[in-house]
Amino acid sequence: GAGVSQSPSNKVTEKGKDVELRCDPISGHTALYWYRQSLGQGLEFLIYFQGNSAPDKSGLPSDRFSAERTGGSVSTLTIQRTQQEDSAVYLCASSLVGQNNSPLHFGNGTRLTVT
Amino acid sequence: DAKTTQPPSMDCAEGRAANLPCNHSTISGNEYVYWYRQIHSQGPQYIIHGLKNNETNEMASLIITEDRKSSTLILPHATLRDTAVYYCIVTIKAAGNKLTFGGGTRVLVKP
């Protein structure tokens, strides 16, 4: 079946512009996660959605970052007034709800470059 | 979640078994050991997980010591496509799988 899909795969934007990154999780997966990975670094947790519960936003680095998940499926991560330090690969993952040891399935990410 | 310690890098010969160690001395009784890998330019890929028993699947085997303070991921016959960063993660069952990725082990499989 189809895996986690992210778009665009690459995005180049000018400093100060807003960007939207999209994630389509695996069908039936109601838990969704956003991570980011700076060049040569490990993964940094950003935000987590599970079902109808309030999202865990504890990893968002600033109020310029926000995410929403409409209809319990597709998610959009928005970065306002982008800065050069926002350049990174943004990874989305999904997993099954109700199975707490269910593994995460990751997409291949969106590579964001802020010039 | 318990902290894990992995060697930063290791080389492996193609066709040989690769044994990747992970220390998690502060692991608690309800924490699972997960292994993921990340091949260049791709998202992380789930490999295997376990609680206290050894586990095996089509990709790898996971050996967990009796005291659960360390584990070893075994790739039985490494191929060039197994070159990747391997992450060992310990997390409690009820955490909603919000995983914390450390530095991992960069594995280079050589011909």
Side-chain angles (χ1 to χ4, degrees):
Chain A
V4 175
S5 178
Q6 294 188 245
S7 60
S9 55
N10 284 283
K11 175 73 176 178
V12 180
T13 190
E14 292 180 354
K15 177 181 173 181
K17 301 284 190 182
D18 297 351
V19 294
E20 285 189 352
L21 313 179
R22 177 187 169 104
C23 173
D24 285 86
I26 292 173
S27 178
H29 283 192
T30 54
L32 186 147
Y33 316 74
W34 284 96
Y35 286 80
R36 75 175 174 180
Q37 188 171 31
S38 300
L39 185 63
Q41 302 298 311
L43 277 75
E44 175 188 6
F45 166 78
L46 297 177
I47 187 169
Y48 160 56
F49 298 89
Q50 181 167 332
N52 296 321
S53 302
D56 178 349
K57 304 180 181 179
S58 59
L60 294 178
S62 78
D63 59 7
R64 295 187 295 105
F65 288 73
S66 63
E68 63 178 21
R69 189 176 186 196
T70 55
S73 182
V74 172
S75 177
T76 301
L77 177 69
T78 300
I79 308 173
Q80 296 178 310
R81 305 181 303 281
T82 52
Q83 304 295 312
Q84 289 185 331
E85 60 264 27
D86 299 333
S87 295
V89 176
Y90 289 81
L91 292 156
C92 176
S94 69
S95 70
L96 290 171
V97 172
Q99 296 187 24
N100 285 329
N101 56 356
S102 172
L104 274 65
H105 299 264
F106 284 83
N108 284 328
T110 294
R111 181 176 299 277
L112 175 67
T113 302
V114 182
T115 61
Chain B
D1 293 346
K3 180 180 177 180
T4 62
T5 303
Q6 299 177 253
S9 65
M10 64 183 294
D11 293 346
C12 176
E14 186 180 21
R16 303 293 294 270
N19 297 295
L20 282 63
C22 180
N23 287 324
H24 31 80
S25 59
T26 60
I27 192 170
S28 60
N30 61 347
E31 288 184 304
Y32 286 76
V33 180
Y34 282 78
W35 283 84
Y36 284 75
R37 73 179 182 183
Q38 188 172 23
I39 295 170
H40 182 63
S41 296
Q42 296 183 20
Q45 175 190 24
Y46 166 77
I47 301 174
I48 199 168
H49 75 278
L51 183 61
K52 49 184 164 183
N53 296 325
N54 297 338
E55 302 287 345
T56 296
N57 63 19
E58 66 278 5
M59 290 182 68
S61 295
L62 174 61
I63 308 298
I64 302 174
T65 58
E66 189 170 347
D67 64 7
R68 304 210 320 124
K69 294 183 183 299
S70 65
S71 60
T72 301
L73 178 75
I74 301 173
L75 307 177
H77 304 286
T79 71
L80 299 180
R81 289 175 294 181
D82 291 322
T83 291
V85 178
Y86 287 76
Y87 296 98
C88 169
I89 301 162
V90 172
T91 186
I92 65 174
K93 181 178 180 180
N97 296 353
K98 187 178 78 176
L99 303 180
T100 300
F101 288 77
T105 296
R106 187 173 299 275
V107 174
L108 176 61
V109 180
K110 296 181 175 180

